[in-house]
Amino acid sequence: MRAIGTLQEQARERSEKLDKQHGVASNVKRIARVVWWTGFIGVFTLGPIALWQTGKADTWLLVAQNEAIRLSADFGMTVKNIEVSGREKTDPNALLAAIGQKPGTPIITFDVDSARERIEELSWVRSAAVERQLPDTLIVSIVERQPLALWQTNDGGHVLIDGDGAQLQNYELGDYLDLPVLVGDDAPGNAAEMLAIIKTIPHLYEQVTGAQRIGHRRWNIQLSNGMYVRLPEKDMDKAWQRLEVLDNQHDLLERDVLIVDLRLPDRTFVRLTPGAAELRRNPPKKQGAV
């Protein structure tokens, strides 16, 4: 019985000793954890405050930024590819200059918004989208302007314009001589609506060689046969459709007509060519007449 009591006492003593050891270790770990987090928070709160108070915060941030850029380059995050879509007429050299990023430079320093603004300043570019595709590719998508007409300037020259009236550059004029020639100081900004209406009847549009803006209000259309069509300020589409009806019914475009006036919705005025008008005034005498 004595031996059993002794064994029980020894077991209880060992248990109490282990409990004390575990308790101490647990408390030590808990204290260490608190100290670590306190130090961590202190570095990221008190550290910047101290830097700011000493006037070195900007320097610290610049160093950190430069180090991040260097590390990104070391990991291969540099411009190696520039992918462009939508380019047909835009000068490729001008486009690369507008992108402004050379192969081998860190890609994380590339400002996509500034690049987009520079690209959209090119005359042939209507809109652009620029993005980074990490780790090493720039993707540039552009929508180019579409030539609409040639605008005759006051000095007699011709400028290629698009539907917004924007003047395009870097082109061969001979490539666009089939486009209508517009006359009038406000013609470029008002041509898109008129030409959209003219194009609704393709076989008539094919005969259009030019258009003159009259009084900042309406258009006179010139056809390849020398005929002028006076369109109204309003309801241009209805007047243009009426011209088609007249041509279908009376072969109007095949006649010696100089001017077709469609400005009034309920009537049409026609002026003959000088030769046809003279023949009407003085028809040739019949053979044998006195």
Side-chain angles (χ1 to χ4, degrees):
M1 294 294 294
R2 180 60 180 169
I4 294 175
T6 302
L7 290 175
Q8 289 178 342
E9 290 175 359
Q10 292 176 353
R12 184 169 58 253
E13 290 176 357
R14 284 197 302 271
S15 177
E16 290 176 353
K17 186 177 181 180
L18 288 174
D19 288 342
K20 180 182 284 188
Q21 290 176 348
H22 284 303
V24 172
S26 178
N27 289 333
V28 170
K29 290 181 179 179
R30 189 178 298 110
I31 293 171
R33 191 180 300 115
V34 171
V35 171
W36 189 90
W37 278 108
T38 301
F40 179 83
I41 294 172
V43 169
F44 282 90
T45 55
L46 298 179
I49 293 174
L51 287 172
W52 177 75
Q53 289 178 342
T54 58
K56 296 182 178 180
D58 291 340
T59 302
W60 180 79
L61 290 174
L62 181 61
V63 170
Q65 182 181 20
N66 291 336
E67 184 64 14
I69 294 172
R70 186 189 66 78
L71 288 174
S72 70
D74 290 343
F75 280 103
M77 297 177 67
T78 60
V79 177
K80 296 179 181 178
N81 305 299
I82 300 177
E83 298 180 2
V84 178
S85 62
R87 189 203 71 81
E88 292 185 9
K89 300 296 185 180
T90 303
D91 184 347
N93 293 325
L95 180 58
L96 287 175
I99 293 172
Q101 194 81 344
K102 297 180 180 179
T105 55
I107 195 170
I108 64 173
T109 63
F110 181 67
D111 189 336
V112 295
D113 292 329
S114 296
R116 175 184 55 77
E117 292 175 358
R118 291 192 299 270
I119 293 170
E120 290 180 345
E121 291 177 356
L122 301 177
S123 71
W124 277 91
V125 177
R126 183 171 188 177
S127 62
V130 183
E131 61 179 307
R132 289 183 293 247
Q133 188 177 79
L134 298 178
D136 57 11
T137 301
L138 299 179
I139 298 178
V140 180
S141 302
I142 63 175
V143 177
E144 291 189 329
R145 297 183 181 277
Q146 298 301 313
L148 181 72
L150 293 171
W151 176 45
Q152 182 174 306
T153 58
N154 292 332
D155 60 2
H158 293 84
V159 177
L160 187 65
I161 64 170
D162 78 336
D164 296 328
Q167 299 183 25
L168 305 179
Q169 301 173 1
N170 302 321
Y171 60 86
E172 293 293 333
L173 184 62
D175 295 337
Y176 301 99
L177 295 180
D178 58 333
L179 294 177
V181 176
L182 308 179
V183 178
D185 57 359
D186 68 333
N190 293 278
E193 179 186 7
M194 177 270 294
L195 288 174
I197 291 173
I198 300 302
K199 290 179 179 180
T200 59
I201 306 178
H203 72 276
L204 291 182
Y205 173 71
E206 291 174 358
Q207 300 187 55
V208 174
T209 59
Q212 182 180 11
R213 184 75 169 164
I214 306 297
H216 295 183
R217 296 181 298 106
R218 64 174 196 83
W219 294 91
N220 285 349
I221 308 300
Q222 183 176 6
L223 304 183
S224 58
N225 61 1
M227 184 182 297
Y228 291 88
V229 180
R230 295 176 176 176
L231 294 179
E233 179 180 357
K234 298 180 180 179
D235 297 327
M236 281 190 296
D237 54 339
K238 295 179 180 178
W240 193 245
Q241 292 166 9
R242 196 159 86 245
L243 178 65
E244 181 186 30
V245 172
L246 291 171
D247 186 46
N248 290 336
Q249 294 178 349
H250 307 289
D251 292 328
L252 183 63
L253 301 186
E254 302 299 325
R255 297 181 178 273
D256 294 327
V257 174
L258 180 63
I259 296 174
V260 179
D261 194 335
L262 302 171
R263 288 177 293 174
L264 297 179
D266 58 347
R267 65 195 68 185
T268 301
F269 296 95
V270 174
R271 180 184 298 178
L272 299 177
T273 62
E278 179 63 26
L279 285 175
R280 173 162 294 204
R281 287 192 299 267
N282 300 294
K285 294 182 180 181
K286 295 181 180 180
Q287 188 175 3
V290 178

